[in-house]
Amino acid sequence: MICYLQNIALRAWIRKFMLAAILSMVATPVFAKIIHIKVKDMAFSPKKIFAHVGDILKWDNGDFVVHTATTEDQVWNITLPAHDSGQVVLNKAGHINYYCRYHPAMTGEITVKE
Amino acid sequence: MRQTQKLLTILAVLSSAAFYGHNAHAHTPAKINDAQIAHIAYTAGVIDIKTANLALEKTQNAEVRDFAQSMVKDHTTVNDQALALVKKLNVTPEDNDTSKGLVKQADAERAKLAKLDGAAFDRAYATNEVAYHKTVNGALENTLIPSASNPELKDLLTTGLKIFKGHEEHAEHVVADLK
């Protein structure tokens, strides 16, 4: 009888553990956002972005010329083909200045928080 | 630099509100038409591509090389868009005195640039690009865009102007960095 009750308790604990694990997997993307940046008429819009670690930045290039999203330290150099997009996952906190390598007057800023 | 001034004079005439084709002395001036506008805009792009290709042959400077590559890339794209549009509109770009004058003067300017080397070439090329874009942009803004009657051509020229203003700023950065 005791063994039977122990089995039931163990199964209930396993169910709870699995439920918690599944919930945590489902819940993670809820906190990570996809932030869209419009690239049009030779400008990034919005020019300033506030984001969190884990967020995804997605640049949607509406121009018919190729652009890039390139950090000043060249850690990213994302090509944004004409009428196409490019993205990056923000994996650490900090302040980032970026520009288009082909059109350096196009600039943007991202502040990433934990 | 005299050749540059002649080239800029041609474009400056274009950028003035008084430009009405080669029949400027007539009382009823002939307004520039869409076929001529398309030809002038396309020609201006070809000129900048040829000058950029010369820069790519001659320069050893990474910044100048990047700039020249951008000029080839963007002007080729804009000209491809222009060709697609005139095909769609069934318009044949019409050669005209302005286009011919631009080509003649640009050829002479390129021949002068070709004689320069190293830092002297880089400075002359970048300075010329600032002046060239400034004047072409003025012509687009003041004459070609207002004169274009087809809305799609007007849109393409307007988009082109935004791109070329970016080039002008880029060229100014290069000139400043070369000092």
Side-chain angles (χ1 to χ4, degrees):
Chain A
M1 185 64 184
I2 291 169
C3 207
Y4 175 71
L5 288 173
Q6 278 177 334
N7 264 346
I8 289 175
L10 182 63
R11 282 180 192 169
W13 184 86
I14 290 171
R15 271 194 216 107
K16 277 182 191 172
F17 178 80
M18 288 179 71
L19 185 63
I22 289 165
L23 277 175
S24 71
M25 285 166 68
V26 172
T28 302
V30 172
F31 297 107
K33 287 184 297 183
I34 296 178
I35 301 170
H36 289 268
I37 300 169
K38 195 171 153 188
V39 186
K40 183 73 181 158
D41 294 338
M42 307 293 280
F44 296 113
S45 177
K47 195 178 168 77
K48 288 184 180 179
I49 294 285
F50 294 92
H52 289 90
V53 173
D55 286 349
I56 295 167
L57 291 185
K58 188 173 181 189
W59 288 269
D60 302 308
N61 183 7
D63 282 340
F64 60 68
V65 292
V66 180
H67 293 298
T68 72
T70 306
T71 53
E72 286 177 351
D73 57 8
Q74 305 280 319
V75 170
W76 309 336
N77 183 23
I78 302 157
T79 301
L80 311 172
H83 299 297
D84 207 339
S85 60
Q87 63 182 47
V88 69
V89 179
L90 299 170
N91 53 19
K92 63 176 182 181
H95 188 81
I96 300 161
N97 290 314
Y98 72 95
Y99 66 104
C100 169
R101 203 156 51 84
Y102 304 133
H103 313 102
M106 293 171 63
T107 59
E109 288 177 50
I110 306 153
T111 303
V112 188
K113 291 181 178 175
E114 291 288 354
Chain B
M1 285 298 114
R2 194 181 299 162
Q3 294 294 345
T4 307
Q5 283 167 351
K6 282 184 185 172
L7 177 59
L8 297 182
T9 302
I10 290 169
L11 285 163
V13 170
L14 246 184
S15 67
S16 75
F19 177 76
Y20 295 106
H22 64 277
N23 197 19
H25 61 278
H27 288 295
T28 309
K31 195 174 181 296
I32 188 167
N33 64 40
D34 282 0
Q36 291 169 327
I37 291 170
H39 199 284
I40 293 165
Y42 187 88
T43 302
V46 169
I47 286 170
D48 209 44
I49 291 167
K50 283 186 178 175
T51 312
N53 280 329
L54 174 67
L56 290 171
E57 282 172 26
K58 292 186 76 81
T59 191
Q60 300 296 318
N61 182 296
E63 191 177 6
V64 173
R65 176 167 294 276
D66 281 351
F67 174 79
Q69 282 170 342
S70 293
M71 293 308 102
V72 172
K73 193 190 296 274
D74 283 358
H75 283 291
T76 302
T77 304
V78 173
N79 275 4
D80 286 348
Q81 296 276 328
L83 284 180
L85 179 60
V86 294
K87 190 178 175 187
K88 180 186 162 190
L89 299 175
N90 205 21
V91 169
T92 304
E94 187 182 313
D95 201 359
N96 55 79
D97 289 348
T98 304
S99 291
K100 285 174 186 158
L102 286 178
V103 171
K104 190 178 172 189
Q105 298 304 327
D107 285 349
E109 181 61 30
R110 209 161 33 251
K112 286 181 74 178
L113 279 173
K115 290 176 185 163
L116 301 173
D117 287 301
F121 171 85
D122 292 338
R123 279 195 297 270
Y125 168 63
T127 304
N128 186 62
E129 283 297 288
V130 172
Y132 184 73
H133 279 94
K134 204 179 278 290
T135 313
V136 168
N137 292 344
L140 277 166
E141 198 160 16
N142 300 318
T143 304
L144 300 180
I145 293 171
S147 301
S149 53
N150 181 279
E152 287 183 81
L153 177 60
K154 205 182 266 284
D155 279 353
L156 179 59
L157 295 171
T158 303
T159 305
L161 176 60
K162 287 170 185 162
I163 294 167
F164 306 149
K165 280 186 173 174
H167 292 173
E168 187 181 324
E169 283 183 57
H170 192 171
E172 284 169 348
H173 277 291
V174 177
V175 168
D177 289 346
L178 290 173
K179 278 180 181 169

PDB file of all heavy atoms in Angstrom, chain A residues 8-42:
ATOM      1  N   ILE A   8       2.274   6.870  -6.804  1.00  0.00           N
ATOM      2  CA  ILE A   8       1.342   7.941  -7.208  1.00  0.00           C
ATOM      3  C   ILE A   8       1.992   9.306  -6.992  1.00  0.00           C
ATOM      4  O   ILE A   8       1.932  10.182  -7.855  1.00  0.00           O
ATOM      5  CB  ILE A   8       0.014   7.834  -6.421  1.00  0.00           C
ATOM      6  CG1 ILE A   8      -0.757   6.615  -6.903  1.00  0.00           C
ATOM      7  CG2 ILE A   8      -0.817   9.090  -6.580  1.00  0.00           C
ATOM      8  CD1 ILE A   8      -2.018   6.327  -6.116  1.00  0.00           C
ATOM      9  N   ALA A   9       2.623   9.467  -5.820  1.00  0.00           N
ATOM     10  CA  ALA A   9       3.280  10.754  -5.508  1.00  0.00           C
ATOM     11  C   ALA A   9       4.402  11.045  -6.497  1.00  0.00           C
ATOM     12  O   ALA A   9       4.559  12.172  -6.977  1.00  0.00           O
ATOM     13  CB  ALA A   9       3.837  10.700  -4.087  1.00  0.00           C
ATOM     14  N   LEU A  10       5.157   9.988  -6.823  1.00  0.00           N
ATOM     15  CA  LEU A  10       6.263  10.156  -7.763  1.00  0.00           C
ATOM     16  C   LEU A  10       5.738  10.578  -9.147  1.00  0.00           C
ATOM     17  O   LEU A  10       6.275  11.486  -9.799  1.00  0.00           O
ATOM     18  CB  LEU A  10       7.055   8.853  -7.861  1.00  0.00           C
ATOM     19  CG  LEU A  10       8.279   8.901  -8.790  1.00  0.00           C
ATOM     20  CD1 LEU A  10       9.307   9.909  -8.286  1.00  0.00           C
ATOM     21  CD2 LEU A  10       8.907   7.533  -8.907  1.00  0.00           C
ATOM     22  N   ARG A  11       4.656   9.898  -9.597  1.00  0.00           N
ATOM     23  CA  ARG A  11       4.075  10.227 -10.906  1.00  0.00           C
ATOM     24  C   ARG A  11       3.563  11.680 -10.926  1.00  0.00           C
ATOM     25  O   ARG A  11       3.729  12.395 -11.927  1.00  0.00           O
ATOM     26  CB  ARG A  11       2.923   9.277 -11.238  1.00  0.00           C
ATOM     27  CG  ARG A  11       3.421   7.926 -11.718  1.00  0.00           C
ATOM     28  CD  ARG A  11       2.253   7.024 -12.034  1.00  0.00           C
ATOM     29  NE  ARG A  11       2.693   5.676 -12.221  1.00  0.00           N
ATOM     30  CZ  ARG A  11       1.897   4.640 -12.311  1.00  0.00           C
ATOM     31  NH1 ARG A  11       0.574   4.810 -12.180  1.00  0.00           N
ATOM     32  NH2 ARG A  11       2.362   3.430 -12.506  1.00  0.00           N
ATOM     33  N   ALA A  12       2.924  12.069  -9.811  1.00  0.00           N
ATOM     34  CA  ALA A  12       2.402  13.446  -9.738  1.00  0.00           C
ATOM     35  C   ALA A  12       3.548  14.454  -9.809  1.00  0.00           C
ATOM     36  O   ALA A  12       3.446  15.475 -10.487  1.00  0.00           O
ATOM     37  CB  ALA A  12       1.619  13.631  -8.433  1.00  0.00           C
ATOM     38  N   TRP A  13       4.646  14.130  -9.146  1.00  0.00           N
ATOM     39  CA  TRP A  13       5.810  15.029  -9.147  1.00  0.00           C
ATOM     40  C   TRP A  13       6.404  15.120 -10.554  1.00  0.00           C
ATOM     41  O   TRP A  13       6.741  16.193 -11.044  1.00  0.00           O
ATOM     42  CB  TRP A  13       6.858  14.494  -8.161  1.00  0.00           C
ATOM     43  CG  TRP A  13       8.034  15.437  -8.040  1.00  0.00           C
ATOM     44  CD1 TRP A  13       8.126  16.507  -7.222  1.00  0.00           C
ATOM     45  CD2 TRP A  13       9.256  15.390  -8.810  1.00  0.00           C
ATOM     46  NE1 TRP A  13       9.319  17.149  -7.397  1.00  0.00           N
ATOM     47  CE2 TRP A  13      10.040  16.477  -8.379  1.00  0.00           C
ATOM     48  CE3 TRP A  13       9.750  14.535  -9.783  1.00  0.00           C
ATOM     49  CZ2 TRP A  13      11.297  16.725  -8.896  1.00  0.00           C
ATOM     50  CZ3 TRP A  13      10.997  14.790 -10.300  1.00  0.00           C
ATOM     51  CH2 TRP A  13      11.765  15.883  -9.865  1.00  0.00           C
ATOM     52  N   ILE A  14       6.483  13.963 -11.214  1.00  0.00           N
ATOM     53  CA  ILE A  14       7.027  13.948 -12.589  1.00  0.00           C
ATOM     54  C   ILE A  14       6.138  14.782 -13.512  1.00  0.00           C
ATOM     55  O   ILE A  14       6.624  15.563 -14.330  1.00  0.00           O
ATOM     56  CB  ILE A  14       7.163  12.493 -13.114  1.00  0.00           C
ATOM     57  CG1 ILE A  14       8.298  11.781 -12.367  1.00  0.00           C
ATOM     58  CG2 ILE A  14       7.409  12.475 -14.627  1.00  0.00           C
ATOM     59  CD1 ILE A  14       8.394  10.292 -12.620  1.00  0.00           C
ATOM     60  N   ARG A  15       4.805  14.624 -13.348  1.00  0.00           N
ATOM     61  CA  ARG A  15       3.867  15.397 -14.184  1.00  0.00           C
ATOM     62  C   ARG A  15       4.083  16.914 -13.978  1.00  0.00           C
ATOM     63  O   ARG A  15       4.138  17.676 -14.913  1.00  0.00           O
ATOM     64  CB  ARG A  15       2.415  15.025 -13.845  1.00  0.00           C
ATOM     65  CG  ARG A  15       1.912  13.872 -14.676  1.00  0.00           C
ATOM     66  CD  ARG A  15       0.403  13.758 -14.553  1.00  0.00           C
ATOM     67  NE  ARG A  15       0.019  12.369 -14.564  1.00  0.00           N
ATOM     68  CZ  ARG A  15      -0.401  11.684 -13.516  1.00  0.00           C
ATOM     69  NH1 ARG A  15      -0.528  12.284 -12.347  1.00  0.00           N
ATOM     70  NH2 ARG A  15      -0.700  10.405 -13.610  1.00  0.00           N
ATOM     71  N   LYS A  16       4.195  17.296 -12.698  1.00  0.00           N
ATOM     72  CA  LYS A  16       4.396  18.717 -12.386  1.00  0.00           C
ATOM     73  C   LYS A  16       5.702  19.218 -12.990  1.00  0.00           C
ATOM     74  O   LYS A  16       5.773  20.318 -13.562  1.00  0.00           O
ATOM     75  CB  LYS A  16       4.446  18.927 -10.860  1.00  0.00           C
ATOM     76  CG  LYS A  16       3.075  19.024 -10.226  1.00  0.00           C
ATOM     77  CD  LYS A  16       3.235  19.283  -8.736  1.00  0.00           C
ATOM     78  CE  LYS A  16       1.906  19.115  -8.025  1.00  0.00           C
ATOM     79  NZ  LYS A  16       2.061  19.164  -6.566  1.00  0.00           N
ATOM     80  N   PHE A  17       6.757  18.392 -12.858  1.00  0.00           N
ATOM     81  CA  PHE A  17       8.073  18.776 -13.371  1.00  0.00           C
ATOM     82  C   PHE A  17       8.027  18.967 -14.895  1.00  0.00           C
ATOM     83  O   PHE A  17       8.522  19.965 -15.448  1.00  0.00           O
ATOM     84  CB  PHE A  17       9.102  17.692 -13.000  1.00  0.00           C
ATOM     85  CG  PHE A  17      10.473  17.987 -13.539  1.00  0.00           C
ATOM     86  CD1 PHE A  17      11.314  18.876 -12.900  1.00  0.00           C
ATOM     87  CD2 PHE A  17      10.919  17.376 -14.722  1.00  0.00           C
ATOM     88  CE1 PHE A  17      12.574  19.171 -13.411  1.00  0.00           C
ATOM     89  CE2 PHE A  17      12.165  17.663 -15.225  1.00  0.00           C
ATOM     90  CZ  PHE A  17      12.994  18.550 -14.582  1.00  0.00           C
ATOM     91  N   MET A  18       7.355  18.016 -15.570  1.00  0.00           N
ATOM     92  CA  MET A  18       7.283  18.089 -17.031  1.00  0.00           C
ATOM     93  C   MET A  18       6.449  19.301 -17.475  1.00  0.00           C
ATOM     94  O   MET A  18       6.788  19.985 -18.434  1.00  0.00           O
ATOM     95  CB  MET A  18       6.699  16.802 -17.615  1.00  0.00           C
ATOM     96  CG  MET A  18       7.672  15.639 -17.524  1.00  0.00           C
ATOM     97  SD  MET A  18       7.017  14.125 -18.157  1.00  0.00           S
ATOM     98  CE  MET A  18       6.993  14.462 -19.899  1.00  0.00           C
ATOM     99  N   LEU A  19       5.349  19.533 -16.728  1.00  0.00           N
ATOM    100  CA  LEU A  19       4.490  20.677 -17.053  1.00  0.00           C
ATOM    101  C   LEU A  19       5.274  21.992 -16.916  1.00  0.00           C
ATOM    102  O   LEU A  19       5.212  22.859 -17.793  1.00  0.00           O
ATOM    103  CB  LEU A  19       3.264  20.689 -16.131  1.00  0.00           C
ATOM    104  CG  LEU A  19       2.222  21.760 -16.424  1.00  0.00           C
ATOM    105  CD1 LEU A  19       1.611  21.546 -17.810  1.00  0.00           C
ATOM    106  CD2 LEU A  19       1.126  21.752 -15.375  1.00  0.00           C
ATOM    107  N   ALA A  20       6.033  22.039 -15.802  1.00  0.00           N
ATOM    108  CA  ALA A  20       6.836  23.247 -15.573  1.00  0.00           C
ATOM    109  C   ALA A  20       7.876  23.430 -16.681  1.00  0.00           C
ATOM    110  O   ALA A  20       8.102  24.535 -17.174  1.00  0.00           O
ATOM    111  CB  ALA A  20       7.524  23.157 -14.208  1.00  0.00           C
ATOM    112  N   ALA A  21       8.481  22.308 -17.095  1.00  0.00           N
ATOM    113  CA  ALA A  21       9.496  22.367 -18.147  1.00  0.00           C
ATOM    114  C   ALA A  21       8.879  22.843 -19.454  1.00  0.00           C
ATOM    115  O   ALA A  21       9.433  23.708 -20.155  1.00  0.00           O
ATOM    116  CB  ALA A  21      10.144  20.995 -18.336  1.00  0.00           C
ATOM    117  N   ILE A  22       7.705  22.278 -19.781  1.00  0.00           N
ATOM    118  CA  ILE A  22       7.031  22.672 -21.038  1.00  0.00           C
ATOM    119  C   ILE A  22       6.637  24.148 -20.990  1.00  0.00           C
ATOM    120  O   ILE A  22       6.852  24.894 -21.947  1.00  0.00           O
ATOM    121  CB  ILE A  22       5.787  21.779 -21.290  1.00  0.00           C
ATOM    122  CG1 ILE A  22       6.244  20.357 -21.660  1.00  0.00           C
ATOM    123  CG2 ILE A  22       4.902  22.353 -22.390  1.00  0.00           C
ATOM    124  CD1 ILE A  22       5.156  19.315 -21.593  1.00  0.00           C
ATOM    125  N   LEU A  23       6.090  24.553 -19.836  1.00  0.00           N
ATOM    126  CA  LEU A  23       5.674  25.950 -19.695  1.00  0.00           C
ATOM    127  C   LEU A  23       6.849  26.903 -19.854  1.00  0.00           C
ATOM    128  O   LEU A  23       6.735  27.943 -20.502  1.00  0.00           O
ATOM    129  CB  LEU A  23       5.011  26.182 -18.332  1.00  0.00           C
ATOM    130  CG  LEU A  23       3.534  25.812 -18.252  1.00  0.00           C
ATOM    131  CD1 LEU A  23       3.038  25.974 -16.818  1.00  0.00           C
ATOM    132  CD2 LEU A  23       2.694  26.648 -19.207  1.00  0.00           C
ATOM    133  N   SER A  24       7.982  26.506 -19.284  1.00  0.00           N
ATOM    134  CA  SER A  24       9.147  27.390 -19.372  1.00  0.00           C
ATOM    135  C   SER A  24       9.627  27.504 -20.824  1.00  0.00           C
ATOM    136  O   SER A  24      10.066  28.556 -21.272  1.00  0.00           O
ATOM    137  CB  SER A  24      10.275  26.904 -18.464  1.00  0.00           C
ATOM    138  OG  SER A  24      10.833  25.726 -18.998  1.00  0.00           O
ATOM    139  N   MET A  25       9.515  26.390 -21.588  1.00  0.00           N
ATOM    140  CA  MET A  25       9.930  26.426 -22.991  1.00  0.00           C
ATOM    141  C   MET A  25       8.995  27.327 -23.803  1.00  0.00           C
ATOM    142  O   MET A  25       9.419  28.061 -24.686  1.00  0.00           O
ATOM    143  CB  MET A  25       9.920  25.004 -23.587  1.00  0.00           C
ATOM    144  CG  MET A  25      11.075  24.149 -23.123  1.00  0.00           C
ATOM    145  SD  MET A  25      10.827  22.428 -23.498  1.00  0.00           S
ATOM    146  CE  MET A  25      10.922  22.436 -25.252  1.00  0.00           C
ATOM    147  N   VAL A  26       7.722  27.237 -23.500  1.00  0.00           N
ATOM    148  CA  VAL A  26       6.731  28.033 -24.220  1.00  0.00           C
ATOM    149  C   VAL A  26       6.847  29.504 -23.819  1.00  0.00           C
ATOM    150  O   VAL A  26       6.711  30.398 -24.639  1.00  0.00           O
ATOM    151  CB  VAL A  26       5.300  27.499 -23.953  1.00  0.00           C
ATOM    152  CG1 VAL A  26       4.255  28.431 -24.528  1.00  0.00           C
ATOM    153  CG2 VAL A  26       5.143  26.102 -24.526  1.00  0.00           C
ATOM    154  N   ALA A  27       7.139  29.694 -22.548  1.00  0.00           N
ATOM    155  CA  ALA A  27       7.114  31.056 -22.019  1.00  0.00           C
ATOM    156  C   ALA A  27       8.309  31.901 -22.477  1.00  0.00           C
ATOM    157  O   ALA A  27       8.181  33.094 -22.646  1.00  0.00           O
ATOM    158  CB  ALA A  27       7.077  31.030 -20.495  1.00  0.00           C
ATOM    159  N   THR A  28       9.456  31.282 -22.741  1.00  0.00           N
ATOM    160  CA  THR A  28      10.655  32.046 -23.071  1.00  0.00           C
ATOM    161  C   THR A  28      10.460  33.021 -24.229  1.00  0.00           C
ATOM    162  O   THR A  28      10.772  34.202 -24.116  1.00  0.00           O
ATOM    163  CB  THR A  28      11.837  31.086 -23.359  1.00  0.00           C
ATOM    164  OG1 THR A  28      12.016  30.296 -22.203  1.00  0.00           O
ATOM    165  CG2 THR A  28      13.112  31.853 -23.663  1.00  0.00           C
ATOM    166  N   PRO A  29       9.885  32.563 -25.404  1.00  0.00           N
ATOM    167  CA  PRO A  29       9.746  33.506 -26.511  1.00  0.00           C
ATOM    168  C   PRO A  29       8.803  34.675 -26.221  1.00  0.00           C
ATOM    169  O   PRO A  29       8.869  35.687 -26.889  1.00  0.00           O
ATOM    170  CB  PRO A  29       9.180  32.637 -27.642  1.00  0.00           C
ATOM    171  CG  PRO A  29       9.469  31.237 -27.255  1.00  0.00           C
ATOM    172  CD  PRO A  29       9.428  31.239 -25.756  1.00  0.00           C
ATOM    173  N   VAL A  30       7.956  34.528 -25.245  1.00  0.00           N
ATOM    174  CA  VAL A  30       7.039  35.611 -24.918  1.00  0.00           C
ATOM    175  C   VAL A  30       7.820  36.835 -24.475  1.00  0.00           C
ATOM    176  O   VAL A  30       7.473  37.953 -24.783  1.00  0.00           O
ATOM    177  CB  VAL A  30       6.046  35.162 -23.807  1.00  0.00           C
ATOM    178  CG1 VAL A  30       5.225  36.345 -23.319  1.00  0.00           C
ATOM    179  CG2 VAL A  30       5.159  34.053 -24.319  1.00  0.00           C
ATOM    180  N   PHE A  31       8.951  36.610 -23.794  1.00  0.00           N
ATOM    181  CA  PHE A  31       9.752  37.720 -23.287  1.00  0.00           C
ATOM    182  C   PHE A  31      10.698  38.292 -24.351  1.00  0.00           C
ATOM    183  O   PHE A  31      11.085  39.438 -24.272  1.00  0.00           O
ATOM    184  CB  PHE A  31      10.535  37.274 -22.048  1.00  0.00           C
ATOM    185  CG  PHE A  31       9.627  36.878 -20.915  1.00  0.00           C
ATOM    186  CD1 PHE A  31       9.477  35.543 -20.562  1.00  0.00           C
ATOM    187  CD2 PHE A  31       8.890  37.832 -20.227  1.00  0.00           C
ATOM    188  CE1 PHE A  31       8.625  35.171 -19.520  1.00  0.00           C
ATOM    189  CE2 PHE A  31       8.037  37.469 -19.189  1.00  0.00           C
ATOM    190  CZ  PHE A  31       7.900  36.129 -18.838  1.00  0.00           C
ATOM    191  N   ALA A  32      11.086  37.461 -25.327  1.00  0.00           N
ATOM    192  CA  ALA A  32      11.961  37.948 -26.390  1.00  0.00           C
ATOM    193  C   ALA A  32      11.100  38.543 -27.497  1.00  0.00           C
ATOM    194  O   ALA A  32      10.219  37.889 -28.010  1.00  0.00           O
ATOM    195  CB  ALA A  32      12.809  36.809 -26.931  1.00  0.00           C
ATOM    196  N   LYS A  33      11.397  39.790 -27.828  1.00  0.00           N
ATOM    197  CA  LYS A  33      10.584  40.470 -28.851  1.00  0.00           C
ATOM    198  C   LYS A  33      11.332  40.500 -30.185  1.00  0.00           C
ATOM    199  O   LYS A  33      12.555  40.490 -30.210  1.00  0.00           O
ATOM    200  CB  LYS A  33      10.337  41.926 -28.432  1.00  0.00           C
ATOM    201  CG  LYS A  33       9.366  42.105 -27.308  1.00  0.00           C
ATOM    202  CD  LYS A  33       9.140  43.596 -27.049  1.00  0.00           C
ATOM    203  CE  LYS A  33      10.403  44.293 -26.600  1.00  0.00           C
ATOM    204  NZ  LYS A  33      10.264  45.694 -26.258  1.00  0.00           N
ATOM    205  N   ILE A  34      10.550  40.607 -31.239  1.00  0.00           N
ATOM    206  CA  ILE A  34      11.153  40.914 -32.538  1.00  0.00           C
ATOM    207  C   ILE A  34      10.889  42.397 -32.767  1.00  0.00           C
ATOM    208  O   ILE A  34       9.736  42.838 -32.789  1.00  0.00           O
ATOM    209  CB  ILE A  34      10.539  40.077 -33.676  1.00  0.00           C
ATOM    210  CG1 ILE A  34      10.827  38.590 -33.454  1.00  0.00           C
ATOM    211  CG2 ILE A  34      11.113  40.525 -35.027  1.00  0.00           C
ATOM    212  CD1 ILE A  34      10.236  37.677 -34.498  1.00  0.00           C
ATOM    213  N   ILE A  35      11.946  43.154 -32.882  1.00  0.00           N
ATOM    214  CA  ILE A  35      11.815  44.609 -33.082  1.00  0.00           C
ATOM    215  C   ILE A  35      12.114  44.931 -34.543  1.00  0.00           C
ATOM    216  O   ILE A  35      13.207  44.638 -35.045  1.00  0.00           O
ATOM    217  CB  ILE A  35      12.788  45.375 -32.155  1.00  0.00           C
ATOM    218  CG1 ILE A  35      12.464  45.022 -30.694  1.00  0.00           C
ATOM    219  CG2 ILE A  35      12.721  46.870 -32.391  1.00  0.00           C
ATOM    220  CD1 ILE A  35      13.496  45.512 -29.704  1.00  0.00           C
ATOM    221  N   HIS A  36      11.126  45.492 -35.217  1.00  0.00           N
ATOM    222  CA  HIS A  36      11.285  45.803 -36.642  1.00  0.00           C
ATOM    223  C   HIS A  36      11.853  47.211 -36.831  1.00  0.00           C
ATOM    224  O   HIS A  36      11.389  48.159 -36.205  1.00  0.00           O
ATOM    225  CB  HIS A  36       9.950  45.690 -37.370  1.00  0.00           C
ATOM    226  CG  HIS A  36       9.491  44.277 -37.513  1.00  0.00           C
ATOM    227  ND1 HIS A  36       9.784  43.498 -38.613  1.00  0.00           N
ATOM    228  CD2 HIS A  36       8.783  43.487 -36.667  1.00  0.00           C
ATOM    229  CE1 HIS A  36       9.272  42.291 -38.432  1.00  0.00           C
ATOM    230  NE2 HIS A  36       8.659  42.262 -37.266  1.00  0.00           N
ATOM    231  N   ILE A  37      12.841  47.312 -37.690  1.00  0.00           N
ATOM    232  CA  ILE A  37      13.404  48.618 -38.056  1.00  0.00           C
ATOM    233  C   ILE A  37      13.192  48.793 -39.559  1.00  0.00           C
ATOM    234  O   ILE A  37      13.623  47.952 -40.359  1.00  0.00           O
ATOM    235  CB  ILE A  37      14.906  48.692 -37.718  1.00  0.00           C
ATOM    236  CG1 ILE A  37      15.103  48.479 -36.215  1.00  0.00           C
ATOM    237  CG2 ILE A  37      15.503  50.033 -38.164  1.00  0.00           C
ATOM    238  CD1 ILE A  37      16.536  48.270 -35.798  1.00  0.00           C
ATOM    239  N   LYS A  38      12.496  49.859 -39.903  1.00  0.00           N
ATOM    240  CA  LYS A  38      12.222  50.125 -41.308  1.00  0.00           C
ATOM    241  C   LYS A  38      13.444  50.798 -41.948  1.00  0.00           C
ATOM    242  O   LYS A  38      14.032  51.706 -41.360  1.00  0.00           O
ATOM    243  CB  LYS A  38      11.009  51.059 -41.367  1.00  0.00           C
ATOM    244  CG  LYS A  38      10.358  51.169 -42.701  1.00  0.00           C
ATOM    245  CD  LYS A  38       9.060  51.954 -42.512  1.00  0.00           C
ATOM    246  CE  LYS A  38       8.698  52.675 -43.787  1.00  0.00           C
ATOM    247  NZ  LYS A  38       7.562  53.579 -43.598  1.00  0.00           N
ATOM    248  N   VAL A  39      13.796  50.316 -43.110  1.00  0.00           N
ATOM    249  CA  VAL A  39      14.895  50.938 -43.856  1.00  0.00           C
ATOM    250  C   VAL A  39      14.275  51.482 -45.143  1.00  0.00           C
ATOM    251  O   VAL A  39      13.870  50.725 -46.021  1.00  0.00           O
ATOM    252  CB  VAL A  39      16.000  49.918 -44.194  1.00  0.00           C
ATOM    253  CG1 VAL A  39      17.196  50.614 -44.841  1.00  0.00           C
ATOM    254  CG2 VAL A  39      16.428  49.160 -42.956  1.00  0.00           C
ATOM    255  N   LYS A  40      14.140  52.787 -45.219  1.00  0.00           N
ATOM    256  CA  LYS A  40      13.446  53.375 -46.363  1.00  0.00           C
ATOM    257  C   LYS A  40      13.976  54.782 -46.609  1.00  0.00           C
ATOM    258  O   LYS A  40      14.227  55.519 -45.652  1.00  0.00           O
ATOM    259  CB  LYS A  40      11.938  53.408 -46.061  1.00  0.00           C
ATOM    260  CG  LYS A  40      11.076  53.926 -47.187  1.00  0.00           C
ATOM    261  CD  LYS A  40      10.965  52.935 -48.327  1.00  0.00           C
ATOM    262  CE  LYS A  40      10.116  53.475 -49.466  1.00  0.00           C
ATOM    263  NZ  LYS A  40      10.398  52.813 -50.731  1.00  0.00           N
ATOM    264  N   ASP A  41      14.124  55.099 -47.880  1.00  0.00           N
ATOM    265  CA  ASP A  41      14.592  56.432 -48.277  1.00  0.00           C
ATOM    266  C   ASP A  41      15.898  56.797 -47.577  1.00  0.00           C
ATOM    267  O   ASP A  41      16.050  57.896 -47.031  1.00  0.00           O
ATOM    268  CB  ASP A  41      13.514  57.488 -47.990  1.00  0.00           C
ATOM    269  CG  ASP A  41      12.282  57.284 -48.859  1.00  0.00           C
ATOM    270  OD1 ASP A  41      12.423  56.641 -49.916  1.00  0.00           O
ATOM    271  OD2 ASP A  41      11.202  57.742 -48.472  1.00  0.00           O
ATOM    272  N   MET A  42      16.807  55.829 -47.537  1.00  0.00           N
ATOM    273  CA  MET A  42      18.154  56.063 -47.018  1.00  0.00           C
ATOM    274  C   MET A  42      18.168  56.434 -45.530  1.00  0.00           C
ATOM    275  O   MET A  42      18.965  57.268 -45.096  1.00  0.00           O
ATOM    276  CB  MET A  42      18.843  57.181 -47.810  1.00  0.00           C
ATOM    277  CG  MET A  42      18.851  56.965 -49.306  1.00  0.00           C
ATOM    278  SD  MET A  42      19.881  55.568 -49.776  1.00  0.00           S
ATOM    279  CE  MET A  42      21.505  56.311 -49.707  1.00  0.00           C
TER     280      MET A  42
END
